[in-house]
């Protein structure tokens, strides 16, 4: 077993060549009563049984009861055909054999997926639609808090669920089957991009679309058969080299970097927030992790911090965003050169900073001012401007930033920053000015005036070839009437002036003997 903190250090120093192979202890499995489970379920649910028969678990001798057996004191324990079992196999249960993976997953952002949105979901899923939508939508990705009824059965409003941050009856967080799929538990399945896109698709996390439109996605599609997805180890550059997948960049082993089930370990930026921030990774003594904006002073070792779920933890280690970026870049270096990798990261950073400075920060400041002045109610989504603002950063802004992060030009621009700009100038600002009313100059325009990003709007008469229309050229004043009446001799003033201007050209010019005939004047 390796500790996540040690893992981070080793990633950078290069002291570890690859992830330690999972150590399995046969004393954990092979329950003799498990054969009875297989015998019944082969008739009652043959598809389930067949998935298991084709799995690595079956080949290793791991049966149904090895995973589902429970203690009678467990809150979700039930008696089934004479055996005490639990319907849910939690990460804690999987950790009886896969301890390393359990510890890495328990400290990951995936494990906090439910806690991160638990306070925010009602405003969307309940107010705009209804509670049933949370179970069928949000909870299927973020995870539900599974409730157990008095008879030990699972509350159908919270189960079935395989959300990545599910709160299990035993208190553990997450669901291994979210990626590995019960009951086959395939490694190859989890290494496929499709394992991620069930949740990482759509407005706020458009990674499916971005990956498929990227060069990486195109190469993967053309070379999937060369990806060695079933291999025992899966180290980029060693076990495969055709293309990367989501796992390659965010979890996979590469060169001296070990693999990990802590999926957010390598992310230097937050990309799904109104304003992106470079982030510290704070490792707590419990092994859990937090992310804090890098513009804040890093917490001291031993200090207490509030976690995403409201609990507290003591700081054991802080990893800066530069080190996180370094680790991600080392993955890139398996297939790209140093200059290529560094330049790509610079381009990505520049897009995020552009989004922040031009749209994210001004929009957030305008919204803050409107709330503080009581011009917007605190209740979310009861006013049109709140929808416009939400879509600006949550949908379009996320697409722009993810597109830049994963090399999809279409999503960085047409599906991303172009829509951000269109929304900001044609919907957000007009609506914000309408809401601000007489205070628009103070609450809206003064915010825009703080940077040069919006000065292009101060030239409304600029040429406009892109839309097929330009202002007509300015005409000289019509002086014909003045010309007709100004000179009693019949010669107009303009004609006179032209005559004076031309006169010197018609006068004889003295020619010196030296220049005469050379024609070089």
């Amino acid at each position: 077993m390796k500790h996540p903190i040690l893992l981070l250090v080793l990633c950078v120093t290069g002291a570890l060549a690859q992830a330690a192979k999972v150590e399995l202890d046969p004393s954990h499995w092979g329950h003799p009563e498990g054969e009875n489970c297989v015998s019944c379920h082969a008739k009652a649910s043959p598809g389930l049984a067949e998935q298991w028969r084709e799995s690595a678990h079956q080949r290793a001798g791991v049966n149904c009861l090895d995973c589902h057996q429970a203690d009678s004191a467990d809150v979700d324990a039930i008696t089934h055909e004479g055996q005490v079992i639990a319907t849910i196999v939690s990460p804690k249960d999987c950790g009886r054999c896969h301890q390393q993976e359990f510890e890495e997953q328990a400290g990951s952002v995936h494990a906090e997926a439910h806690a991160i949105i638990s306070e925010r979901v009602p405003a969307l899923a309940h107010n705009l639609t209804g509670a049933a939508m949370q179970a069928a939508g949000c909870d299927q990705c973020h995870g539900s808090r599974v409730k157990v009824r008095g008879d030990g059965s699972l509350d159908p409003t919270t189960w079935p669920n395989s959300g990545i941050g599910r709160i299990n009856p035993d208190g553990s967080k997450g669901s291994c089957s979210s990626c590995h799929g019960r009951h086959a538990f395939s490694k190859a399945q989890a290494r496929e991009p499709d394992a991620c896109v069930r949740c990482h698709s759509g407005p706020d996390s458009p990674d499916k679309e971005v990956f498929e439109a990227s060069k990486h996605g195109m190469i993967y599609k053309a070379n999937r058969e060369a990806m060695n997805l079933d291999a025992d180890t899966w180290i980029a550059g060693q076990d495969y080299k055709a293309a990367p997948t989501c796992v390659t960049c965010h979890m996979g082993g590469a060169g001296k970097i070990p693999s990990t089930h802590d999926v957010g370990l390598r992310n230097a930026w937050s990309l799904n927030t109104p304003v992106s921030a470079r982030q510290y990774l704070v490792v707590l003594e419990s092994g859990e992790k937090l992310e804090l904006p890098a513009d804040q002073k890093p917490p001291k070792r031993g200090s207490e911090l509030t976690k995403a779920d409201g609990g507290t933890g003591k700081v054991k280690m802080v990893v800066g965003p530069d080190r996180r970026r370094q680790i991600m870049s080392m993955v890139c270096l398996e297939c790209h050169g140093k200059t290529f990798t560094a330049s790509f990261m610079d381009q990505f950073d520049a897009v995020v900073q552009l989004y922040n400075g031009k749209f994210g920060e001004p929009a957030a400041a305008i919204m803050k001012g409107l709330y503080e002045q009581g011009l917007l109610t605190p209740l979310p989504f009861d006013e049109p401007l709140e929808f416009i603002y939400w879509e600006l950063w949550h949908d379009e802004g996320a697409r722009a930033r993810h597109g830049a992060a994963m090399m999809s030009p279409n999503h960085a621009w047409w599906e991303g920053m172009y829509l951000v700009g269109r929304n900001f100038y044609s919907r957000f600002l007009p609506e914000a000015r309408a809401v601000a009313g007489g205070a628009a100059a103070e609450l809206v325009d003064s915010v825009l005036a703080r940077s040069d990003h919006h000065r292009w709007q101060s030239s409304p008469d600029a040429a406009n070839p892109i839309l097929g229309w330009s202002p007509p050229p300015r005409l000289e004043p019509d002086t014909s009437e003045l010309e007709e009446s100004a000179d009693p001799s019949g010669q107009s003033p303009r004609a006179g002036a032209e005559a004076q201007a031309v006169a010197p050209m018609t006068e004889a010019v003295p020619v010196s003997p030296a220049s005469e005939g050379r024609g070089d004047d």
Side-chain angles (χ1 to χ4, degrees):
M1 180 184 75
K2 63 177 182 289
H3 194 284
I5 300 171
L6 178 62
L7 185 153
L8 274 169
V9 175
L10 293 176
C11 282
V12 177
T13 60
L16 185 65
Q18 63 183 61
K21 189 172 178 59
V22 176
E23 295 294 338
L24 298 179
D25 181 353
S27 66
H28 288 299
W29 68 78
H31 197 294
E33 297 296 327
E35 289 300 319
N36 293 330
C37 306
V38 176
S39 177
C40 282
H41 280 281
K43 303 171 184 174
S45 44
L48 179 156
E50 195 59 29
Q51 290 176 18
W52 170 80
R53 288 186 193 282
E54 297 176 355
S55 73
H57 276 169
Q58 189 276 337
R59 293 192 292 275
V62 178
N63 61 50
C64 312
L65 204 53
D66 293 326
C67 300
H68 285 274
Q69 62 181 322
D71 189 281
S72 58
D74 292 345
V75 65
D76 58 339
I78 59 174
T79 300
H80 176 68
E81 300 295 337
Q83 300 295 328
V84 178
I85 66 165
T87 303
I88 291 179
V89 177
S90 74
K92 191 175 181 179
D93 296 324
C94 299
R96 292 196 294 243
C97 292
H98 301 279
Q99 188 173 5
Q100 174 182 316
E101 285 78 3
F102 167 59
E103 292 181 353
E104 291 170 352
Q105 176 273 340
S108 73
V109 67
H110 270 169
E112 301 297 339
H114 177 275
I116 289 170
I117 66 161
S118 61
E119 299 296 324
R120 290 184 280 169
V121 157
L124 271 176
H126 294 198
N127 293 353
L128 295 188
T129 57
M133 199 58 241
Q134 179 176 342
C138 314
D139 286 354
Q140 293 304 319
C141 288
H142 285 267
S144 63
R145 181 179 290 278
V146 180
K147 298 177 181 177
V148 183
R149 299 192 292 195
D151 61 356
S153 63
L154 302 177
D155 185 340
T157 64
T158 63
W159 174 265
N161 182 273
S162 58
I164 199 75
R166 187 182 66 201
I167 310 299
N168 300 294
D170 64 6
S172 64
K173 299 175 182 176
S175 167
C176 302
S177 62
S178 183
C179 301
H180 290 277
R182 68 174 81 89
H183 288 85
F185 305 105
S186 166
K187 285 184 293 188
Q189 181 189 47
R191 289 165 178 165
E192 289 270 14
D194 284 350
C196 309
V197 302
R198 181 174 74 99
C199 297
H200 289 276
S201 59
D204 64 329
S205 187
D207 303 309
K208 172 185 184 293
E209 302 90 325
V210 173
F211 176 75
E212 290 176 348
S214 73
K215 210 63 173 291
H216 285 163
M218 296 162 56
I219 298 172
Y220 170 78
K221 187 175 181 180
N223 295 278
R224 182 184 174 279
E225 298 306 316
M227 292 298 289
N228 205 14
L229 292 167
D230 285 316
D232 287 339
T233 61
W234 207 57
I235 301 172
Q238 174 179 308
D239 297 310
Y240 67 101
K241 62 182 185 299
T245 70
C246 315
V247 168
T248 301
C249 299
H250 293 277
M251 300 171 67
K256 298 175 181 177
I257 302 173
S259 63
T260 176
H261 277 65
D262 188 343
V263 71
L265 203 64
R266 302 167 185 172
N267 295 343
W269 283 102
S270 65
L271 297 182
N272 290 73
T273 49
V275 177
S276 286
R278 283 163 55 82
Q279 305 176 107
Y280 293 116
L281 184 71
V282 181
V283 184
L284 304 176
E285 290 183 351
S286 62
E288 296 170 286
K289 300 181 185 70
L290 287 173
E291 291 182 319
L292 297 177
D295 60 357
Q296 296 181 9
K297 190 175 181 180
K300 292 183 178 179
R301 186 174 182 177
S303 60
E304 282 197 347
L305 291 178
T306 301
K307 300 184 294 184
D309 63 4
T312 58
K314 284 190 176 181
V315 176
K316 186 167 185 176
M317 183 180 182
V318 178
V319 181
D322 288 343
R323 179 159 294 186
R324 303 177 80 180
R325 166 61 58 80
Q326 184 182 12
I327 295 171
M328 179 66 89
S329 296
M330 290 174 72
V331 179
C332 307
L333 291 174
E334 287 301 309
C335 295
H336 300 288
K338 290 183 179 179
T339 302
F340 182 98
T341 300
S343 297
F344 164 73
M345 292 297 182
D346 288 345
Q347 290 181 0
F348 166 44
D349 289 346
V351 169
V352 177
Q353 290 159 356
L354 172 64
Y355 165 81
N356 279 351
K358 186 164 186 175
F359 304 111
E361 292 168 354
I366 290 169
M367 293 297 289
K368 181 173 182 287
L370 295 173
Y371 281 122
E372 288 178 344
Q373 295 296 319
L375 298 169
L376 288 174
T377 68
L379 182 66
F381 302 118
D382 65 333
E383 289 148 317
L385 182 60
E386 293 174 319
F387 284 96
I388 297 172
Y389 176 58
W390 169 259
E391 291 169 4
L392 182 74
W393 71 261
H394 181 266
D395 296 5
E396 299 144 8
R399 276 198 296 273
R401 289 172 280 177
H402 284 244
M406 294 168 60
M407 305 183 78
S408 171
N410 178 57
H411 289 85
W413 170 236
W414 286 118
E415 303 292 337
M417 204 69 86
Y418 165 73
L419 296 181
V420 171
R422 188 181 73 178
N423 184 345
F424 186 79
Y425 288 113
S426 70
R427 298 174 63 205
F428 178 78
L429 290 180
E431 183 66 18
R433 289 189 177 106
V435 171
E442 173 194 356
L443 298 178
V444 179
D445 297 324
S446 67
V447 173
L448 302 181
R450 294 172 192 167
S451 78
D452 292 334
H453 284 304
H454 311 286
R455 293 195 188 283
W456 66 274
Q457 288 203 313
S458 63
S459 303
D461 295 332
N464 181 19
I466 192 170
L467 297 183
W469 187 88
S470 294
R474 291 184 177 180
L475 300 176
E476 293 294 331
D478 185 357
T479 58
S480 58
E481 294 184 358
L482 294 174
E483 291 171 351
E484 292 175 355
S485 60
D487 190 348
S489 68
Q491 183 181 36
S492 71
R494 182 175 180 179
E498 290 175 350
Q500 292 177 5
V502 172
M505 299 296 291
T506 59
E507 291 176 358
V509 177
V511 177
S512 68
S515 62
E516 186 175 11
R518 283 170 41 184
D520 57 358
D521 288 342

